[in-house]
Amino acid sequence: EPEVTQTPSHQVTQMGQEVILRCVPISNHLYFYWYRQILGQKVEFLVSFYNNEISEKSEIFDDQFSVERPDGSNFTLKIRSTKLEDSAMYFCASTGGVTDTQYFGPGTRLTVL
Amino acid sequence: AQSVTQPDIHITVSEGASLELRCNYSYGATPYLFWYVQSPGQGLQLLLKYFSGDTLVQGIKGFEAEFKRSQSSFNLRKPSVHWSDAAEYFCAVGARGSSNTGKLIFGQGTTLQVKP
């Protein structure tokens, strides 16, 4: 069964450093998402991406964040200058249609020191 | 604004007992409704979803959920819990309409512990 994959599974970085989280969505999907889950809190929507542009973003998704689909298979989330409060589990999801099931990857745990 | 409330942060049931996890939502119309499960170290797996039609929805692993418009609820049930059901359960809503981007709003989650 096709699945969403994410790399790395765990990323440790120093405050102020740039990180790139990578996702490979399911191959025929068209809509892509990033969510995050701070430890002990709810899963929060960050951004949705369709047709090579952002279709919606949350208040969390400020100028420090960016997304890209560089090569038609990968979908990346970049945090330009990480803060301590960016420490969280980041989930990528994809779907074939906005009302279809979203398939989630296993997540990347980001730890900012 | 859409919101989802899962009133029970933590529930413990005995193996073989029935289970009900509560979910209440706030939304101007009837949203799309989902239940996801997250096992430790795993991503989110869809258990079931409600889009329209029959308000009693069957899902995987023997779970079902009932949409009750009058109560703005979408509670998850299972008649007999197995030890492998121990996990975290998330209720989520998605918007309808032409501006829908597929964004999901999640509840806080309910951690299910199963006693032998």
Side-chain angles (χ1 to χ4, degrees), chain A residues 66-96:
Chain A
S66 62
V67 289
E68 197 177 33
R69 189 157 160 79
D71 56 14
S73 62
N74 291 282
F75 179 51
T76 62
L77 174 69
K78 182 194 291 187
I79 309 175
R80 249 179 288 280
S81 177
T82 50
K83 307 184 189 76
L84 295 176
E85 55 264 37
D86 293 328
S87 294
M89 180 75 90
Y90 288 81
F91 292 105
C92 172
S94 71
T95 182

Side-chain angles (χ1 to χ4, degrees), chain A residues 33 35 37 40-43 45 48 55-56 91 98-99 101-102 104-106, chain B residues 4 32 36 38 42-44 46 49 51 90 100-104 106-108:
Chain A
Y33 306 86
Y35 295 84
Q37 184 183 28
Q41 298 187 24
K42 64 173 69 176
V43 176
F45 167 79
S48 59
S55 48
E56 187 173 0
F91 292 105
V98 289
T99 59
T101 299
Q102 284 186 30
F104 283 76
Chain B
V4 180
Y32 300 118
Y36 280 86
Q38 182 183 30
Q42 304 292 313
L44 298 162
L46 181 72
K49 60 188 178 187
F51 281 179
F90 292 95
N100 179 24
T101 62
K103 171 180 79 174
L104 296 180
F106 285 84
Q108 192 78 10

